[in-house]
Amino acid sequence: MATTGKQLFTTLDANGTLTVAIEDVTFPDPTGNQVLVKMEAAPINPSDLAILVGAADLEKASYSQGKFVATVPEPFNAGSKSRHGIKLPAGNEGAGTVVATGDSDTAKALLGQRVACVPGNAYSQYCIADAGMCLPLGDHSAEDGASAFVNPMTALGFTENAKMDGQGAILHTVGASNLGQMLTRICNEDGIGLVNIVRKDSQVDLLTKLGSTHVVNSSDDDAMRQLQAAIQDTGAFYGFDPIGGGQSVDMAFKAMEQVAVSRMTEYSRYGSNQPKRMFIYGRLDTGLTTLSPSYGFGWTLSGWLLFPFLQSAGTETVARMRKRVLDNLTTTFASTYKRRVNLDEMLTKEAVTDYRAMKTGEKYLVTPWS
């Protein structure tokens, strides 16, 4: 028996018109290894915003109940040509209760259970999800489990990647985010050195209370000196950056190189041969990534995405990571939220312009039935 409910869709037309609206939808019965989840909570992560709002002009958009219409300027509209005219759902992850299943044993075992899932259309009252990707939450609430995948698995992915590459320390450029706080806890537990970069004294205090021993405030006049000292102490020549645009990666590479040069016993006109690597895993700043290569040689800048990493890590590693998340859902991997909104409320001007700003530590949680 088909189920009806409300779901968010986002459509970008060729002329740059972006329409985001809540619609009534009929959800099919799950088959095979599928489950039907009655969604109870879904976070708005930075990774959701590209498809949800992109570069749209939200100040000049028109807003009505459960809908807004905005314009995406050039060249951003042309850069999104592949999605023109396609109505897309949004919301990578969330949590809710399984109310129907397909006929596989894996799916049937989840009936009636609260699960975290990654359906790709979590801003909805119901979702079809793959049973194999669902994480049973036991006694945990939907809010506890809503952010059980993207941030926890990404933070764990950083440390797993570092271990695979023989690294004992990590540099992270947005240390006070929900993900950054998780990374601090993980590194403390695993004995991995960590250099956190933040922008405010309050964020320094926050991470220090969590046990972070190397926190650099990029707003300080002596930020570069602080960063060099932290890298010297930890050996963090390996880092992750969610900003993308601007000079955050450049600053990290420069500090790494200055530390490496200070350790050289012989002068080289080419600089150090210390391997230095940074990964960009987000686009909080959609501007150009500014580099001023003066980092010696042996430096590498790469992209990093969660799902390709999980595919390369193997089932045993992924299963171990998932178990660790579940075992520590309200401690190491706990998330906090600034505001809770229902489907209609998440499309008001007040809400959209606020969560689109992606301010550190101010994540929104969507509760579809409230």
Side-chain angles (χ1 to χ4, degrees), residues 3-283:
T3 304
T4 59
K6 297 183 180 298
Q7 183 175 351
L8 179 147
F9 291 96
T10 170
T11 307
L12 178 62
D13 292 329
N15 65 1
T17 299
L18 176 71
T19 302
V20 183
I22 308 300
E23 299 183 11
D24 291 320
V25 174
T26 298
F27 299 88
D29 293 334
T31 60
N33 207 43
Q34 295 177 334
V35 295
L36 180 67
V37 182
K38 184 177 181 180
M39 299 300 293
E40 298 169 48
I44 301 177
N45 292 316
S47 57
D48 296 309
L49 294 179
I51 192 172
L52 189 60
V53 296
D57 185 345
L58 299 178
E59 290 295 333
K60 296 181 180 178
S62 64
Y63 296 86
S64 56
Q65 184 173 357
K67 180 178 180 179
F68 74 81
V69 180
T71 299
V72 176
E74 299 295 351
F76 301 102
N77 180 48
S80 301
K81 183 178 180 180
S82 60
R83 63 167 289 195
H84 285 170
I86 303 174
K87 183 189 293 186
L88 297 171
N92 283 323
E93 67 176 333
T97 300
V98 175
V99 294
T101 75
D103 56 9
S104 77
D105 291 339
T106 302
K108 289 179 179 179
L110 295 178
L111 185 62
Q113 292 196 51
R114 179 173 284 125
V115 299
C117 56
V118 195
N121 60 333
Y123 305 143
S124 179
Q125 291 183 325
Y126 294 93
C127 289
I128 293 289
D130 184 283
M133 290 296 291
C134 290
L135 180 67
L137 294 174
D139 295 331
H140 291 297
S141 69
E143 182 167 320
D144 289 339
S147 296
F149 190 84
V150 174
N151 280 353
M153 296 294 277
T154 297
L156 274 178
F158 293 169
T159 58
E160 291 290 337
N161 221 143
K163 292 172 185 176
M164 291 174 185
D165 288 343
Q167 301 295 314
I170 292 171
L171 182 150
H172 188 227
T173 62
V174 184
S177 64
N178 273 344
L179 187 154
Q181 293 175 50
M182 292 179 190
L183 184 61
T184 291
R185 299 184 191 107
I186 294 167
C187 288
N188 285 344
E189 292 169 8
D190 292 3
I192 297 172
L194 177 64
V195 176
N196 280 309
I197 299 178
V198 299
R199 294 178 296 174
K200 301 176 182 178
D201 286 338
S202 61
Q203 295 170 344
V204 174
D205 294 340
L206 170 65
L207 292 179
T208 300
K209 289 177 181 177
L210 288 179
S212 183
T213 55
H214 296 85
V215 188
V216 177
N217 186 344
S218 62
S219 299
D220 288 348
D221 292 338
D222 66 341
M224 183 58 78
R225 182 198 61 78
Q226 292 181 42
L227 186 54
Q228 291 173 36
I231 294 171
Q232 182 75 262
D233 285 348
T234 60
F237 294 96
Y238 188 94
F240 295 86
D241 171 65
I243 302 172
Q247 297 178 308
S248 55
V249 169
D250 185 60
M251 178 183 181
F253 273 143
K254 283 180 177 177
M256 291 175 182
E257 175 63 5
Q258 288 165 7
V259 172
V261 167
S262 73
R263 297 177 174 181
M264 292 171 59
T265 57
E266 295 183 6
Y267 168 77
S268 170
R269 73 184 70 181
Y270 303 111
S272 79
N273 61 358
Q274 167 69 48
K276 298 167 286 288
R277 187 164 192 180
M278 289 293 294
F279 297 89
I280 292 177
Y281 71 95
R283 296 295 295 179

Side-chain angles (χ1 to χ4, degrees), residues 298-317:
W299 62 273
T300 305
L301 176 60
S302 307
W304 196 97
L305 288 174
L306 176 59
F307 286 100
F309 168 75
L310 295 179
Q311 291 171 351
S312 67
T315 56
E316 183 177 332
T317 297

